[in-house]
Amino acid sequence: MAIIKRRKSYTAKIGNIRVGSEAPVMVQSMTNTNTADVASTVRQVAALARAGSEVVRVTVNNDGAAAAIRPIVDELASMGVHVPIVGDFHYNGHTLLKKFPECARALAKYRINPGNVSIGRKDDDNFRTMIECAIENDKPVRIGVNWGSLDQQLLARMMDENAKLAQPKEPRDVMIEAMIASALHSAELAQSFGMQGDHILLSAKVSCVQDLVDVYRDLASRCEYPLHLGLTEAGMGAKGIVASTAGLAILLQEGIGDTIRVSLTPAPGGDRSDEVVVAQQILQSMGIRSFLPQVTSCPGCGRTTSTYFQELAQQVQLYVRERMPEWRKEFDGVEEMKLAVMGCIVNGPGESKHANIGISLPGTFEEPKAPVFIDGRLATTLKGDHIVEEFKRILDDYVATRYAKKIEPAKA
């Protein structure tokens, strides 16, 4: 693992998950189902948890959604899925939490947006109601500021004050300061209502990478609350993946960030779990955490006109992901394993030697054989039509012999 000095912060708990500078950076996700549809929400939460999401957030926007929270949590528990469920509240959270006390008790955390919790009011009664409900049920809160729903009265006042300066700041800089001011003021207000500092997390989400970096650097320097990172709308496909990676990687490298989410727009009918896979891969590529064995494979070139090595690399990655749930239960340390699937002799043997297990397939016009290296030494050479099956067997045997068996706790 990379040695990155984490920013000092409180250590909070979301359900049974510790969050903060003393805990691993946590991956979270959010459902896009109608929360009132218990069956579909349970299916998606379970799928996100299986993919590796350590916390799942759900929309709680009306009576039906609030009434569904307890059944959702109970059904997940009956399936053996104990991932903490976070309620995402906007506009009417103060009403729903009071009207549905089982919802308030079942949720592991409340997300509050200070930009819309008290819209049209001159007091903080709605915000206070949510904080007092969290205190009553011993729940942490994430005070999540978004630039798309920033407190407009606060922003207007700060823009007016800025305009009167001899050297006014750029509007972008005023907006960033307004977001930080909103988050910090809300956290201070929560503590004035009796909430402990280690029950508060903050976020200040924007959609542009450079804005994300600037706002979190400033926010991190001005408080010790755990911070949740992410672009508020990352986008679809490569754009969303690249933008999220670019922004999160800079901040994580500087020790900023305690939980992360990659807010990808899914393709129609796409897999919601993709956002979990990307978040895990960001952390693993940076050497911050390990989630599953990594497969190194070459991009291909004129020496690899056959697609065979591409197919093998794809099949190995799928096989590792399929086997990982069982491997994780049985073996310690298997997530650290490194594999290499290479397409020709140029870098194939050398890269394979650097992996725990590596295979170098024959490139165009090369001798039709595939040397397999285990822990840096040539172990065997595969030929013929069954290379994929034979390589999988080698992989299974290696895992079973290389990684320690997990010891079952003694029964009382």
Side-chain angles (χ1 to χ4, degrees):
M1 293 293 94
I3 301 175
I4 296 175
K5 186 176 180 180
R6 293 275 298 283
R7 159 186 167 271
K8 182 181 178 183
S9 75
Y10 292 112
T11 300
K13 285 194 73 175
I14 305 173
N16 58 354
I17 304 293
R18 292 170 60 251
V19 177
S21 57
E22 298 177 5
V25 178
M26 186 193 69
V27 172
Q28 70 169 268
S29 59
M30 185 175 182
T31 59
N32 62 355
T33 58
N34 175 7
T35 307
D37 183 342
V38 173
S40 64
T41 302
V42 165
R43 283 195 298 272
Q44 191 170 87
V45 171
L48 290 166
R50 284 194 296 271
S53 183
E54 292 159 301
V55 168
V56 178
R57 182 159 46 110
V58 302
T59 297
V60 187
N61 59 332
N62 53 37
D63 286 8
I69 294 300
R70 171 54 70 183
I72 288 168
V73 172
D74 289 346
E75 179 63 22
L76 288 166
S78 73
M79 298 165 58
V81 178
H82 299 287
V83 63
I85 302 298
V86 174
D88 192 62
F89 294 98
H90 297 271
Y91 310 112
N92 58 353
H94 58 290
T95 300
L96 295 174
L97 286 170
K98 298 299 288 186
K99 186 176 180 180
F100 296 91
E102 277 301 304
C103 167
R105 284 191 285 269
L107 290 170
K109 184 179 74 172
Y110 311 155
R111 185 279 173 105
I112 305 173
N113 185 336
N116 56 36
V117 71
S118 295
I119 283 181
R121 298 179 64 94
K122 295 182 179 180
D123 56 56
D124 299 300
D125 285 354
N126 292 353
F127 180 76
R128 181 171 191 151
T129 297
M130 296 188 73
I131 294 299
E132 289 178 343
C133 191
I135 294 170
E136 179 184 346
N137 291 283
D138 194 26
K139 306 295 183 181
V141 299
R142 171 161 71 91
I143 295 170
V145 180
N146 282 0
W147 75 337
S149 52
L150 184 59
D151 183 335
Q152 292 302 300
Q153 292 182 345
L154 171 66
L155 179 60
R157 187 181 77 245
M158 293 183 68
M159 286 291 188
D160 288 344
E161 292 171 354
N162 181 66
K164 296 174 183 177
L165 297 175
Q167 294 183 317
K169 299 177 182 177
E170 292 293 324
R172 168 190 179 271
D173 296 332
V174 178
M175 176 169 278
I176 287 176
E177 179 58 31
M179 292 184 68
I180 295 169
S182 177
L184 294 178
H185 171 70
S186 298
E188 291 167 3
L189 201 58
Q191 288 197 254
S192 76
F193 296 151
M195 175 157 276
Q196 296 178 351
D198 62 0
H199 277 50
I200 299 172
L201 297 87
L202 298 184
S203 65
K205 288 189 173 184
V206 294
S207 295
C208 299
V209 170
Q210 293 297 344
D211 293 340
L212 181 83
V213 173
D214 288 348
V215 73
Y216 273 98
R217 279 176 172 165
D218 200 343
L219 182 59
S221 71
R222 292 161 65 174
C223 73
E224 291 190 355
Y225 301 109
L227 301 180
H228 170 68
L229 302 185
L231 293 169
T232 187
E233 299 103 4
M236 181 179 282
K239 186 270 179 186
I241 293 171
V242 172
S244 294
T245 304
L248 296 184
I250 293 170
L251 293 167
L252 290 167
Q253 187 67 27
E254 295 177 6
I256 298 170
D258 302 289
T259 78
I260 66 170
R261 181 188 173 208
V262 175
S263 300
L264 295 180
T265 303
D271 189 345
R272 189 67 168 181
S273 300
D274 287 348
E275 68 176 50
V276 179
V277 174
V278 174
Q280 289 180 329
Q281 193 59 57
I282 291 171
L283 294 175
Q284 187 145 355
S285 295
M286 295 183 68
I288 293 172
R289 289 186 67 183
S290 292
F291 297 94
L292 76 164
Q294 297 290 281
V295 180
T296 298
S297 57
C298 66
C301 66
R303 291 174 174 269
T304 56
T305 52
S306 166
T307 61
Y308 188 76
F309 90 93
Q310 299 165 337
E311 294 161 6
L312 177 58
Q314 183 181 51
Q315 290 182 58
V316 169
Q317 286 195 129
L318 290 173
Y319 186 70
V320 165
R321 188 165 287 278
E322 289 170 359
R323 295 287 289 131
M324 195 58 196
E326 291 303 315
W327 285 347
R328 188 180 288 113
K329 291 178 186 176
E330 294 183 39
F331 304 105
D332 277 325
V334 67
E335 65 276 1
E336 303 278 356
M337 182 169 61
K338 293 180 173 58
L339 308 173
V341 178
M342 304 301 293
C344 78
I345 200 170
V346 173
N347 290 320
E351 195 71 52
S352 296
K353 290 177 182 178
H354 290 298
N356 295 107
I357 304 178
I359 184 170
S360 179
L361 295 167
T364 307
F365 305 125
E366 289 179 11
E367 189 176 349
K369 62 181 183 179
V372 176
F373 295 83
I374 297 178
D375 291 331
R377 303 183 67 175
L378 179 64
T380 188
T381 300
L382 304 181
K383 300 179 181 180
D385 299 326
H386 303 288
I387 289 177
V388 174
E389 291 76 14
E390 292 179 38
F391 188 70
K392 287 179 180 177
R393 282 196 293 271
I394 292 170
L395 179 55
D396 281 331
D397 290 342
Y398 182 84
V399 170
T401 57
R402 170 66 174 77
Y403 296 99
K405 290 275 188 178
K406 287 194 172 179
I407 300 174
E408 291 291 331
K411 294 182 179 180

